């Protein structure tokens, strides 16, 4: 894949333009656009940079993409652009794998510890000026099952193990002696391994296979009193079933950074459940993340211009970047 | 030290008796008492087990201790019993060193991560059903200075380092190549090393030397935007100075599990400061801690009965159990 002399780059922006684009503006005609202008921007464009990575505008504008060769999305999950016309096209798809690994791992450890040490209740008691001693949980020796064995799942596994938890993984293929997970169970046999886990972390890519995988049946198979942490995609979880499992006491808690509908609707029962931690799809978004995202794209753009292999090429049949190993 | 045939053990209890005392009740006459009966219980007693470890009743009852040889306190800090008459006596003092190390370390990591990931605000936003994306901090590479190099400080250092922080310690004697801390600075030169630390953890024993060591001068020497975590004793910190440093923005936050007055008075400004995390002197109190505390005493009691050396003997001049190394 070799770039043209004066390529046209369309950039789908949200409220803000991406930072640090100067190196690219010297090498390409850059068309910054919001969703409503995307079709116009795509006409004649060689490359599309989906900076507004939660936008659902790409499928509608797709018929205008008359010479597109490469689409890069500023996120790890590529589900917003996995529509059939792109999947069946020759357009290469790359993502921003790697940027969020360590920050999401820190978020997961943060909520594991927040549950164990009952921090949400401490904060609510503090707001009522109430001094109430409680006994809290250890995390050392507790078990975590990380569902999703991509680089984010791996970073989570490493950090949770470093903090003293027993960790295993669930992925497409079962295997032993994984450097990060130790044991990886087959996701197809997930319910067999759920009863062992005190914390279940959902970080699988959203695909036809994983959509709704955390449903009533899954929750029934979990250890009573276990907690679910979702840092993947809201659609991995059947929210109604989760609410029911929490209300019934089958699950002791859930930390949810992603939701079937975002922003989470005002009417959602999740807001007021004391054993639920809601955050605004931000688990990976450390100070500097936007610069880091653009740096991944700039690096890939220079590769594309020079005809070198792109990084983070998504296998469009799988819906994610396959691991090397 | 060899026990008598039918020793008398006084046990100072709070609201509850200690659990798991059956092995001792077979070997000694056990007098369980609340504070008001302590003097009577001490008369003729060989051993005092201060199970209500925050009680201040021991000095007043002390004149009744006519044959006491050993006092064990069910805590790591021995400051409630470091009154002159005990210090100058031949009574051996032991503590419950070791029980709280790992649980307090987990609490410290929990609040480090809660600050970095802005969890208190997420919880308060959730209570208002408000979806608000923010960028948050990484902990990897941030620096922590642990003031106090006893076993709890060591466990904190190990866990923070495992989670990716850079760690150093401050203790009585400066040294390099410490197995847990790497570098240990001399506490006497603390202000020199404070500017490097994003998180300062107070876990020193409360002694005449450490009382009020975290005062206006200390806070002024800290990095602007640093955070203080106090899991030692409230009296290590001059609360007024801390409130002022937080209000001035010199410190970005404080997590306080211990206070000059406990329970924290309703009138304290700390309750309503959004950058302060208040908890009820519970950082070490994991589910099962009371049993673990009694197990330490039972082990020591059997040693005492058999004339073997006691564990966790406090150096009464120092005010803590000196390290082996």
């Amino acid at each position: 894949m070799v770039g043209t002399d004066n390529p046209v780059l369309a950039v789908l922006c949200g409220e803000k333009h991406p930072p640090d684009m100067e190196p690219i503006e010297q090498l390409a005609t850059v068309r910054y656009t919001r969703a409503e202008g995307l079709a116009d921007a795509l006409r004649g464009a060689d490359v599309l940079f989906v900076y507004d990575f939660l936008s659902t505008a790409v499928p509608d504008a797709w018929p205008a993409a008359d010479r597109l060769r490469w689409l890069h999305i500023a996120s790890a999950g590529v589900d917003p652009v996995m529509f059939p016309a792109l999947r069946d096209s020759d357009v290469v798809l790359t993502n921003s794998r790697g940027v969020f690994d360590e920050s999401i791992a820190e978020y997961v450890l943060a909520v594991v510890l927040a549950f164990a040490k009952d921090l949400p209740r401490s904060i609510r008691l503090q707001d009522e000026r109430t001094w109430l001693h409680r006994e809290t949980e250890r995390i050392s020796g507790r078990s975590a099952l990380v569902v999703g064995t991509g680089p984010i799942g791996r970073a989570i596994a490493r950090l949770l193990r470093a903090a003293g938890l027993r960790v295993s993984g669930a992925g497409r293929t079962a295997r032993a002696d994984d450097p990060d997970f130790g044991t990886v169970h087959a996701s197809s046999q997930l319910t067999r391994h759920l009863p062992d886990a005190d914390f279940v972390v959902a970080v699988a890519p959203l695909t036809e296979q994983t959509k709704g995988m955390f449903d009533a049946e899954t929750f029934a198979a979990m250890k009573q009193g276990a907690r679910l942490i979702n840092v993947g995609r809201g659609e991995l979880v059947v929210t109604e079933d989760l609410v029911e499992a929490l209300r019934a006491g089958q699950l002791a808690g859930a930390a949810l950074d992603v939701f079937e509908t975002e922003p989470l609707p005002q009417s959602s029962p999740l807001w007021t459940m004391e054993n639920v931690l809601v955050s605004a799809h931000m688990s990976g978004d450390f100070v500097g993340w936007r610069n880091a995202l653009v740096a991944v794209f700039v690096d890939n753009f220079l590769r594309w211009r020079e005809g070198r292999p792109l990084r983070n090429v998504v296998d469009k049949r799988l819906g994610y970047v396959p691991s090397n190993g």
Side-chain angles (χ1 to χ4, degrees), chain A:
Chain A
M1 179 173 11
V2 177
T4 58
D5 272 348
N6 186 21
V8 176
L9 166 63
V11 181
L12 175 58
C13 306
E15 288 177 19
K16 290 179 185 173
H17 285 201
D20 306 339
M21 288 288 285
E22 297 76 10
I24 287 182
E25 287 169 358
Q26 309 217 333
L27 297 170
T29 301
V30 182
R31 300 174 179 166
Y32 296 101
T33 181
R34 304 281 295 253
E36 56 275 19
L38 182 59
D40 285 344
L42 272 176
R43 217 159 274 128
D46 301 284
V47 180
L48 171 61
F49 176 25
V50 180
Y51 180 64
D52 182 16
F53 52 84
L54 292 174
S55 169
T56 56
V58 181
D60 282 349
W62 193 250
D66 50 6
R67 59 175 283 175
L68 199 72
R69 288 183 283 159
W70 169 34
L71 187 160
H72 180 90
I73 185 163
S75 60
V78 298
D79 45 286
V81 292
M82 284 305 285
F83 50 98
L86 171 60
R87 200 174 329 195
D88 299 340
S89 73
D90 291 331
V91 172
V92 172
L93 174 62
T94 58
N95 74 356
S96 297
R97 176 181 165 106
V99 169
F100 302 102
D101 303 357
E102 308 294 335
S103 49
I104 292 181
E106 290 180 356
Y107 170 88
V108 170
L109 181 57
V111 296
V112 164
L113 279 161
F115 280 129
K117 303 306 172 186
D118 208 19
L119 292 187
R121 190 148 184 237
S122 288
I123 289 160
R124 291 181 173 122
L125 286 166
Q126 178 177 340
D127 287 347
E128 298 165 4
R129 300 188 187 223
T130 300
W131 178 273
L132 184 66
H133 179 276
R134 289 101 65 209
E135 297 179 350
T136 63
E137 299 169 23
R138 297 290 313 275
I139 63 164
S140 177
R142 305 297 294 278
S143 66
L145 176 63
V146 180
V147 181
T149 54
I152 300 175
R154 290 184 176 279
I156 293 168
R158 288 191 298 270
L159 189 58
L160 294 184
R161 179 173 292 115
L165 286 93
R166 294 180 293 118
V167 178
S168 60
R172 234 178 351 140
T173 322
R175 54 195 180 274
D177 302 322
D178 181 276
D180 297 318
F181 292 102
T183 302
V184 175
H185 306 294
S187 291
S188 56
Q189 307 205 308
L190 188 62
T191 50
R192 263 217 244 162
H193 303 285
L194 285 169
D196 299 326
D198 298 301
F199 296 94
V200 176
V201 184
V203 65
L206 180 63
T207 66
E208 284 309 311
Q209 286 73 48
T210 62
K211 189 172 178 177
M213 71 185 291
F214 292 94
D215 60 6
E217 190 189 356
T218 312
F219 299 132
M222 282 171 67
K223 180 190 284 194
Q224 192 175 8
R227 288 153 179 138
L228 177 73
I229 298 167
N230 189 1
V231 289
R233 289 288 187 224
E235 295 92 331
L236 297 174
V237 174
V238 179
T239 307
E240 275 184 45
D241 292 358
L242 173 62
V243 168
E244 181 50 36
L246 287 162
R247 285 191 174 144
Q250 169 61 11
L251 297 197
L256 307 171
D257 188 54
V258 288
F259 302 88
E260 290 188 84
T261 307
E262 296 179 6
L264 183 64
Q266 289 286 311
S267 59
S268 171
L270 295 168
W271 288 113
T272 51
M273 299 180 79
E274 289 221 336
N275 50 357
V276 171
L277 284 171
V278 170
S279 53
H281 199 146
M282 54 188 265
S283 71
D285 300 349
F286 59 96
V287 176
W289 67 295
R290 292 185 180 276
N291 309 80
L293 279 176
V294 173
V296 170
F297 175 65
V298 168
D299 174 68
N300 246 357
F301 190 86
L302 298 177
R303 291 168 170 271
W304 182 76
R305 284 282 295 162
E306 294 163 12
R308 289 185 288 139
L310 294 181
R311 283 196 170 134
N312 303 341
V313 176
V314 173
D315 182 326
K316 293 192 285 183
R317 288 161 310 161
L318 294 175
Y320 51 89
V321 180
S323 294
N324 298 325

